[in-house]
Amino acid sequence: MTRDLGRLRTAMATLLLASALLFGLGILIERGTSSAGTPPVEATSPPVAASAAPHVEGSSEAGEAGASPAAEASATTGEAGESSGAHTETTSTESIFGIDPEAPPLVALAVILSLLAAFLVWRDGRRSVVIGAIVVALGFAALDLLEVSHQTREGRTLVAIIAGLVAVGHLLAAGFGIAIVRRPTKV
Protein backbone atom coordinates (compact mmCIF):
# COMPACT_ATOMS: atom_id res chain seq x y z
CA MET A 1 0.00 0.00 0.00
CA THR A 2 2.86 2.40 0.75
CA ARG A 3 4.38 1.48 -2.58
CA ASP A 4 1.16 2.40 -4.40
CA LEU A 5 0.99 5.67 -2.51
CA GLY A 6 4.56 6.45 -3.55
CA ARG A 7 3.68 5.79 -7.19
CA LEU A 8 0.67 8.06 -6.99
CA ARG A 9 2.78 10.83 -5.43
CA THR A 10 5.45 10.38 -8.11
CA ALA A 11 2.81 10.50 -10.86
CA MET A 12 1.27 13.66 -9.41
CA ALA A 13 4.65 15.34 -9.03
CA THR A 14 5.65 14.34 -12.57
CA LEU A 15 2.44 15.78 -14.00
CA LEU A 16 2.92 19.04 -12.10
CA LEU A 17 6.51 19.24 -13.37
CA ALA A 18 5.54 18.44 -16.96
CA SER A 19 2.71 20.98 -16.84
CA ALA A 20 5.09 23.68 -15.58
CA LEU A 21 7.55 22.94 -18.38
CA LEU A 22 4.82 22.92 -21.04
CA PHE A 23 3.43 26.17 -19.63
CA GLY A 24 6.85 27.81 -19.97
CA LEU A 25 7.20 26.47 -23.50
CA GLY A 26 3.75 27.81 -24.41
CA ILE A 27 4.62 31.26 -23.07
CA LEU A 28 7.85 31.31 -25.09
CA ILE A 29 6.04 30.25 -28.26
CA GLU A 30 3.24 32.78 -27.70
CA ARG A 31 5.66 35.64 -27.15
CA GLY A 32 7.68 34.62 -30.19
CA THR A 33 4.65 34.49 -32.47
CA SER A 34 2.87 37.55 -31.10
CA SER A 35 5.83 39.87 -31.65
CA ALA A 36 6.55 38.64 -35.18
CA GLY A 37 3.07 37.62 -36.31
CA THR A 38 0.99 40.56 -35.12
CA PRO A 39 1.34 43.65 -37.26
CA PRO A 40 1.27 47.01 -35.52
CA VAL A 41 -2.03 48.86 -35.31
CA GLU A 42 -0.97 51.39 -37.98
CA ALA A 43 -0.48 48.56 -40.47
CA THR A 44 -3.91 47.06 -39.82
CA SER A 45 -5.96 50.24 -40.18
CA PRO A 46 -6.66 51.45 -43.70
CA PRO A 47 -5.33 54.87 -44.63
CA VAL A 48 -7.78 57.73 -44.66
CA ALA A 49 -8.12 59.14 -48.16
CA ALA A 50 -8.14 62.93 -48.15
CA SER A 51 -9.92 64.65 -50.99
CA ALA A 52 -7.62 66.92 -52.99
CA ALA A 53 -10.51 68.79 -54.58
CA PRO A 54 -12.04 71.58 -52.52
CA HIS A 55 -15.59 71.14 -51.45
CA VAL A 56 -18.08 73.33 -53.23
CA GLU A 57 -21.58 73.40 -51.87
CA GLY A 58 -24.29 72.74 -54.35
CA SER A 59 -22.01 70.97 -56.83
CA SER A 60 -23.35 67.91 -58.60
CA GLU A 61 -20.73 65.65 -56.96
CA ALA A 62 -21.75 66.58 -53.44
CA GLY A 63 -24.57 64.67 -51.82
CA GLU A 64 -27.19 66.13 -49.54
CA ALA A 65 -24.75 65.99 -46.62
CA GLY A 66 -22.24 68.14 -48.51
CA ALA A 67 -19.63 65.48 -49.25
CA SER A 68 -19.17 63.02 -52.06
CA PRO A 69 -20.20 59.41 -51.42
CA ALA A 70 -16.60 58.26 -51.93
CA ALA A 71 -15.29 60.77 -49.40
CA GLU A 72 -18.00 59.77 -46.92
CA ALA A 73 -17.16 56.10 -47.39
CA SER A 74 -13.43 56.67 -46.94
CA ALA A 75 -14.01 58.85 -43.88
CA THR A 76 -16.32 56.20 -42.40
CA THR A 77 -13.80 53.45 -43.20
CA GLY A 78 -11.01 55.49 -41.68
CA GLU A 79 -12.98 56.13 -38.51
CA ALA A 80 -14.05 52.51 -38.27
CA GLY A 81 -10.49 51.36 -38.92
CA GLU A 82 -9.16 53.64 -36.22
CA SER A 83 -11.74 52.52 -33.71
CA SER A 84 -11.27 48.85 -34.53
CA GLY A 85 -7.51 49.31 -34.37
CA ALA A 86 -7.81 50.81 -30.93
CA HIS A 87 -10.18 48.01 -29.95
CA THR A 88 -7.74 45.38 -31.21
CA GLU A 89 -4.96 46.96 -29.20
CA THR A 90 -6.96 46.89 -25.97
CA THR A 91 -8.28 43.34 -26.36
CA SER A 92 -4.95 41.79 -27.31
CA THR A 93 -3.86 41.96 -23.68
CA GLU A 94 -6.08 39.92 -21.45
CA SER A 95 -6.47 40.67 -17.79
CA ILE A 96 -8.07 38.88 -14.88
CA PHE A 97 -9.33 41.21 -12.15
CA GLY A 98 -7.17 43.94 -13.68
CA ILE A 99 -3.99 41.85 -13.55
CA ASP A 100 -2.12 40.73 -16.66
CA PRO A 101 -1.57 36.98 -16.10
CA GLU A 102 1.14 36.92 -18.75
CA ALA A 103 3.37 39.45 -16.99
CA PRO A 104 6.86 37.96 -16.58
CA PRO A 105 6.84 38.08 -12.75
CA LEU A 106 3.50 36.24 -12.61
CA VAL A 107 4.66 33.66 -15.16
CA ALA A 108 7.80 33.04 -13.10
CA LEU A 109 5.72 32.81 -9.92
CA ALA A 110 3.36 30.28 -11.52
CA VAL A 111 6.24 28.08 -12.69
CA ILE A 112 7.98 28.29 -9.30
CA LEU A 113 4.74 27.50 -7.45
CA SER A 114 4.07 24.50 -9.67
CA LEU A 115 7.65 23.21 -9.28
CA LEU A 116 7.47 23.72 -5.52
CA ALA A 117 4.17 21.85 -5.31
CA ALA A 118 5.66 19.00 -7.38
CA PHE A 119 8.71 18.80 -5.13
CA LEU A 120 6.71 18.88 -1.90
CA VAL A 121 4.28 16.20 -3.09
CA TRP A 122 7.12 13.96 -4.21
CA ARG A 123 9.31 14.52 -1.16
CA ASP A 124 6.82 14.99 1.69
CA GLY A 125 3.43 13.69 0.62
CA ARG A 126 1.51 14.69 3.75
CA ARG A 127 -2.22 15.02 3.30
CA SER A 128 -2.15 18.81 3.81
CA VAL A 129 0.62 19.18 1.22
CA VAL A 130 -1.29 17.06 -1.31
CA ILE A 131 -4.50 19.03 -0.69
CA GLY A 132 -2.57 22.27 -1.26
CA ALA A 133 -1.16 20.86 -4.50
CA ILE A 134 -4.68 19.84 -5.59
CA VAL A 135 -5.88 23.42 -5.04
CA VAL A 136 -2.91 24.76 -7.03
CA ALA A 137 -3.50 22.26 -9.84
CA LEU A 138 -7.22 23.01 -10.08
CA GLY A 139 -6.63 26.77 -10.01
CA PHE A 140 -4.05 26.50 -12.78
CA ALA A 141 -6.35 24.18 -14.76
CA ALA A 142 -9.09 26.82 -14.66
CA LEU A 143 -6.66 29.46 -15.91
CA ASP A 144 -5.37 27.06 -18.56
CA LEU A 145 -8.88 26.49 -19.88
CA LEU A 146 -9.40 30.26 -20.08
CA GLU A 147 -6.14 30.44 -22.03
CA VAL A 148 -7.33 27.74 -24.45
CA SER A 149 -10.43 29.83 -25.13
CA HIS A 150 -8.38 33.02 -25.53
CA GLN A 151 -5.83 31.45 -27.87
CA THR A 152 -8.58 29.86 -29.96
CA ARG A 153 -10.22 33.27 -30.41
CA GLU A 154 -6.84 34.77 -31.36
CA GLY A 155 -6.31 32.01 -33.93
CA ARG A 156 -3.12 30.62 -32.36
CA THR A 157 -3.77 26.91 -32.71
CA LEU A 158 -0.39 25.67 -31.48
CA VAL A 159 -0.51 27.73 -28.31
CA ALA A 160 -4.14 26.66 -27.73
CA ILE A 161 -3.11 22.99 -28.04
CA ILE A 162 -0.24 23.49 -25.60
CA ALA A 163 -2.55 25.27 -23.15
CA GLY A 164 -5.00 22.37 -23.50
CA LEU A 165 -2.24 19.87 -22.73
CA VAL A 166 -1.20 21.90 -19.69
CA ALA A 167 -4.84 21.94 -18.51
CA VAL A 168 -5.08 18.16 -18.93
CA GLY A 169 -1.82 17.73 -17.00
CA HIS A 170 -3.11 19.88 -14.15
CA LEU A 171 -6.45 18.04 -14.07
CA LEU A 172 -4.71 14.65 -14.04
CA ALA A 173 -2.40 15.84 -11.28
CA ALA A 174 -5.44 16.92 -9.27
CA GLY A 175 -7.01 13.51 -9.93
CA PHE A 176 -3.93 11.71 -8.62
CA GLY A 177 -3.98 14.02 -5.61
CA ILE A 178 -7.59 13.14 -4.89
CA ALA A 179 -6.69 9.46 -5.14
CA ILE A 180 -3.89 10.02 -2.62
CA VAL A 181 -6.13 11.91 -0.20
CA ARG A 182 -8.86 9.26 -0.40
CA ARG A 183 -6.45 6.50 0.56
CA PRO A 184 -6.96 5.30 4.11
CA THR A 185 -4.35 6.53 6.56
CA LYS A 186 -2.27 4.16 8.65
CA VAL A 187 -3.74 3.43 12.04
Side-chain angles (χ1 to χ4, degrees), residues 42-149:
E42 298 84 48
T44 58
S45 61
V48 178
S51 175
H55 172 67
V56 178
E57 288 197 35
S59 67
S60 61
E61 291 181 54
E64 291 181 9
S68 69
E72 286 180 11
S74 67
T76 305
T77 305
E79 290 169 4
E82 288 172 10
S83 66
S84 69
H87 179 70
T88 303
E89 186 177 338
T90 57
T91 59
S92 66
T93 59
E94 62 183 282
S95 67
I96 299 172
F97 301 118
I99 299 171
D100 179 17
E102 294 178 2
L106 289 179
V107 169
L109 181 66
V111 170
I112 290 169
L113 186 62
S114 191
L115 293 176
L116 181 65
F119 176 75
L120 289 175
V121 165
W122 174 72
R123 186 76 175 137
D124 189 359
R126 285 183 285 173
R127 188 174 289 256
S128 60
V129 169
V130 173
I131 290 172
I134 291 170
V135 170
V136 167
L138 289 175
F140 284 162
L143 293 173
D144 296 334
L145 292 173
L146 285 173
E147 187 66 14
V148 169
S149 173

